[in-house]
Amino acid sequence: MIKRILSLVAVVTALGALAPATAQASAGQVLKLRKGLTLTLPYAWKVHGKGDFIYVVAGKCKKLHEPGCHQFSIYGPKGIAIGNELFNPYTGESPYYPATDVQPCPLNAKWSYGGGVKLLKSGYREIGKGHKAQYRAWQIKCVANYSSKVRATFIQREWLLPKSKILIVDKFSTAGLSKVLTNAVWR
């Protein structure tokens, strides 16, 4: 009898040791997007919006869309259709920039885009098994408002899935985002 109890304790202990690892590996909130793209996001990330305009806050954020709000964006066809200057369609030939005015710098409200944009990387990145996104990383400079003095530089990463009409734009080099995209599932 004691031998049997010890065997059961050993099995329960082994299962208990495996449970946290299994739970941790699958932990996260599920975000279902167009064409069956499913992302598993960390619970700490907060999803806002829906449809063609989804914003995921993955860090500090006092107010959504304001400089300093660490977020990335996920756009569908309507967001892609206005993603270039003057609200023209996004092509990937320049960074996502749906505006006609001077863009505020995402790092500080007292700064704006200026001083140049440089394409750092261009190629393809896997988003889930069997799906490749057109990937670009842009270096963008921010200048002090009403000045040409460069105050900061940030990298804007963009993943475009043209067939699925999904564009992901990250201005904060969000830690863990690349892994989330690589581990995506298509259903």
Side-chain angles (χ1 to χ4, degrees):
M1 181 73 167
I2 292 178
K3 192 174 184 181
R4 200 170 178 191
I5 291 172
L6 290 175
S7 290
L8 286 172
V9 169
V11 168
V12 169
T13 303
L15 289 174
L18 292 175
T22 305
Q24 193 174 25
S26 64
Q29 58 183 313
V30 174
L31 177 59
K32 294 183 179 192
L33 301 168
R34 303 177 41 72
K35 304 293 183 179
L37 176 58
T38 304
L39 305 177
T40 302
L41 308 175
Y43 286 116
W45 294 4
K46 303 297 178 214
V47 178
H48 302 271
K50 61 182 179 177
D52 287 352
F53 300 93
I54 297 173
Y55 309 97
V56 180
V57 174
K60 289 186 343 182
C61 186
K62 290 183 180 178
K63 190 170 182 186
L64 195 62
H65 305 303
E66 288 197 356
C69 180
H70 291 243
Q71 68 183 49
F72 62 90
S73 307
I74 304 170
Y75 301 108
K78 291 178 184 173
I80 294 169
I82 61 165
N84 203 349
E85 217 168 346
L86 303 174
F87 301 105
N88 289 312
Y90 171 83
T91 62
E93 292 177 18
S94 59
Y96 187 85
Y97 177 81
T100 58
D101 59 352
V102 176
Q103 279 287 77
C105 179
L107 307 174
N108 188 314
K110 296 178 183 176
W111 306 336
S112 55
Y113 283 31
V117 171
K118 179 181 177 183
L119 181 62
L120 296 177
K121 292 182 184 175
S122 179
Y124 292 90
R125 298 288 191 274
E126 192 169 67
I127 296 188
K129 191 172 183 174
H131 290 80
K132 296 260 185 199
Q134 296 171 359
Y135 175 80
R136 289 175 180 80
W138 302 92
Q139 179 183 34
I140 301 173
K141 295 180 181 179
C142 294
V143 297
N145 291 340
Y146 311 108
S147 166
S148 60
K149 184 176 181 183
V150 175
R151 303 298 294 182
T153 302
F154 69 96
I155 306 299
Q156 179 167 305
R157 302 182 302 167
E158 302 172 349
W159 293 262
L160 174 65
L161 291 153
K163 289 181 183 175
S164 304
K165 296 192 188 290
I166 299 170
L167 173 64
I168 300 159
V169 178
D170 177 26
K171 297 178 183 182
F172 290 96
S173 298
T174 303
L177 178 56
S178 293
K179 187 173 182 178
V180 164
L181 297 176
T182 301
N183 293 330
V185 176
W186 293 83
R187 297 174 196 226

